[in-house]
């Protein structure tokens, strides 16, 4: 009965917030259902999170300064961590009628929390007061408008520029510099950012070097959000947040472009051809604006470890041979 009250609370929240709730009918192994994000305009987005609901006073007996401790079973810990969708753990207090949530998959994946036996469910994450976008953030739902026309996306990339004099950079720089894998994927990392900024400084004849503080970091991470919000690349945003929030560093990834991202590349090719035909750009043959760039691991970072790697394998093999003798 308590479990059904918890499920009903989630169903009620979804109905009031205009979201889609799909309860798991059979074969529940740590997932009670799924929520799908619906925009304020009523459009289903396909952005989905899984939910596990725990109801009853027993789940609120381990109080912390900020919420409650939840001790997952080992089977659930492994299942949730490897689940392909964000997993919301929702604790429902049947005495008060309030529900509290946390993305338990994210909590389990964050390295600094790996040694904890418990997961802390924050009291501030009151489900009834939560904006739906916050529930779906790790699924890639961001609070910025979607731009329907791909031509307007291109304009936005070009016009979104840093206002810092020692950090000349546009979102267009990051998009075209990051194209790789025959322009079917996009690479992002601090090396890409630094190379683009340093070239722009040199092209301007600036006497200053690159300067990068909080505002510049926010600007560049905003590009990652833009790619996701405009459905240009298949980015694991929850993994990016581990770097951005917990490690306090820029993420580093290679992500496949979506069909929309590839359409943007095609549009850039067409616009370049138009500008060449009109004489606004010189014809440089096979050199184009949107073109594949190569990246690789830096040999100096792993080459010195070759002997150590070989020694390790030999030592483990020898131990196993001795143990089996």
């Amino acid at each position: 009965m308590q479990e059904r009250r918890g499920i009903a609370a989630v169903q009620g929240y979804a109905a009031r917030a205009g979201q889609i709730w799909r309860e798991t009918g059979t074969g529940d192994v740590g997932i009670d259902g799924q929520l799908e994000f619906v925009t304020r305009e009523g459009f289903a987005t396909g952005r989905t999170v899984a939910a596990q609901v725990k109801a009853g006073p027993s789940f609120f007996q381990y109080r912390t300064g900020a919420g409650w401790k939840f001790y997952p079973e080992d089977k659930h810990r492994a299942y949730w961590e490897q689940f392909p969708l964000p997993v919301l753990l929702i604790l429902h207090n049947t005495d008060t009628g309030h529900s509290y949530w946390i993305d338990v998959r994210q909590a389990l994946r964050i390295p600094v929390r790996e040694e904890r036996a418990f997961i802390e469910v924050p009291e501030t994450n009151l489900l009834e007061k939560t904006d739906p976008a916050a529930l779906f953030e790790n699924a890639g739902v961001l609070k910025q408008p979607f731009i329907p026309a791909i031509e307007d996306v291109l304009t936005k990339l070009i016009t979104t520029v840093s206002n810092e004099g020692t950090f000349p950079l546009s979102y267009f720089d990051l998009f075209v510099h990051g194209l790789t894998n025959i322009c079917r994927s996009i690479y992002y990392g601090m090396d890409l950012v630094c190379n683009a900024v340093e070239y722009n400084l040199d092209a301007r004849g600036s006497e200053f070097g690159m300067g990068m503080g909080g505002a510049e970091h926010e600007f560049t991470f905003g590009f990652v959000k833009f790619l996701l919000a405009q459905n240009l690349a298949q980015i694991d945003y929850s993994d990016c947040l581990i770097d951005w929030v917990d490690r306090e560093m820029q993420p580093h990834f290679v992500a496949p472009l979506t069909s929309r991202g590839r359409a943007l590349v095609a549009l850039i090719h067409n616009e370049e051809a138009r500008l060449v035909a009109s004489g606004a750009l010189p014809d440089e043959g096979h050199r184009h604006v949107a073109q594949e760039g190569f990246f690789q691991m830096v040999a100096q970072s792993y080459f010195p470890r070759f002997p150590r790697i070989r020694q390790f394998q030999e030592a483990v093999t020898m131990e196993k041979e001795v143990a089996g003798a």
Side-chain angles (χ1 to χ4, degrees):
M1 184 173 62
Q2 288 193 117
E3 179 185 353
R4 295 311 308 170
R5 289 172 66 182
I7 296 293
V10 177
Q11 287 176 320
Y13 168 81
R16 290 190 301 274
Q19 305 302 297
I20 296 173
W21 164 254
R22 300 184 183 93
E23 186 173 352
T24 302
T26 58
D28 172 18
V29 188
I31 300 296
D32 288 316
Q34 294 183 356
L35 287 160
E36 181 178 346
F37 182 68
V38 178
T39 67
R40 294 182 184 277
E41 296 75 26
F43 294 108
T45 62
R47 301 286 187 184
T48 307
V49 296
Q52 173 70 59
V53 184
K54 299 290 185 181
S58 63
F59 294 106
F60 294 87
Q61 58 182 316
Y62 301 111
R63 198 70 166 85
T64 69
W68 297 271
K69 294 179 181 178
F70 176 82
Y71 292 87
E73 298 179 42
D74 288 342
K75 64 178 182 179
H76 285 158
R77 181 183 289 268
Y79 186 70
W80 291 337
E81 183 179 358
Q82 68 184 4
F83 204 74
L85 299 173
V87 179
L88 301 183
L89 170 65
I90 301 172
L91 302 185
H92 178 72
N93 191 326
T94 51
D95 289 341
T96 65
H98 294 318
S99 304
Y100 306 87
W101 66 275
I102 189 172
D103 184 341
V104 69
R105 186 186 74 162
Q106 189 78 349
L108 290 170
R109 287 183 172 185
I110 293 172
V112 296
R113 299 182 189 173
E114 285 180 351
E115 301 304 319
R116 279 188 182 179
F118 67 89
I119 294 166
E120 186 177 44
V121 181
E123 189 173 15
T124 54
N125 283 5
L126 180 62
L127 181 65
E128 301 92 271
K129 300 295 184 181
T130 299
D131 185 293
L135 288 181
F136 293 88
E137 181 182 16
N138 289 347
V141 172
L142 302 170
K143 291 183 178 180
Q144 57 177 276
F146 177 76
I147 303 173
I150 200 70
E151 294 81 6
D152 294 336
V153 173
L154 175 57
T155 300
K156 189 68 173 178
L157 283 173
I158 294 173
T159 57
T160 304
V161 297
S162 168
N163 294 320
E164 304 298 326
T166 58
F167 198 76
L169 187 70
S170 71
Y171 281 4
F172 185 78
D173 287 330
L174 294 174
F175 184 79
V176 293
H177 284 312
L179 292 173
T180 188
N181 187 27
I182 325 179
C183 291
R184 296 188 68 254
S185 300
I186 188 164
Y187 168 81
Y188 178 83
M190 273 305 299
D191 54 339
L192 177 78
V193 173
C194 293
N195 289 338
V197 170
E198 288 170 357
Y199 171 78
N200 288 339
L201 285 170
D202 184 65
R204 289 182 176 187
S206 175
E207 58 182 311
F208 301 105
M210 184 181 78
M212 191 166 188
E216 292 78 16
H217 276 289
E218 289 285 351
F219 176 83
T220 51
F221 188 65
F223 171 70
V224 177
K225 295 179 180 179
F226 183 84
L227 290 176
L228 200 57
Q230 304 310 321
N231 190 26
L232 299 175
Q234 299 172 27
I235 298 170
D236 186 343
Y237 188 62
S238 64
D239 191 58
C240 290
L241 287 177
I242 292 175
D243 285 333
W244 179 246
V245 176
D246 294 273
R247 293 173 174 162
E248 297 183 346
M249 58 182 284
Q250 291 286 343
H252 185 265
F253 60 79
V254 179
L257 292 180
T258 62
S259 58
R260 199 162 189 258
R262 296 192 297 273
L264 177 59
V265 172
L267 174 62
I268 295 170
H269 286 160
N270 292 337
E271 284 296 290
E272 182 181 16
R274 181 183 63 80
L275 291 169
V276 169
S278 69
L281 276 181
D283 188 346
E284 296 195 356
H286 296 294
R287 183 176 297 156
H288 299 288
V289 174
Q291 198 164 9
E292 176 181 38
F294 301 123
F295 70 94
Q296 64 180 12
M297 292 181 66
V298 179
Q300 292 87 337
S301 67
Y302 63 85
F303 189 79
R305 294 185 289 113
F306 276 5
R308 185 72 171 174
I309 293 169
R310 182 178 179 83
Q311 292 165 7
F312 177 85
Q313 294 177 87
E314 290 175 345
V316 171
T317 301
M318 185 173 295
E319 279 189 347
K320 290 187 179 298
E321 289 176 350
V322 171

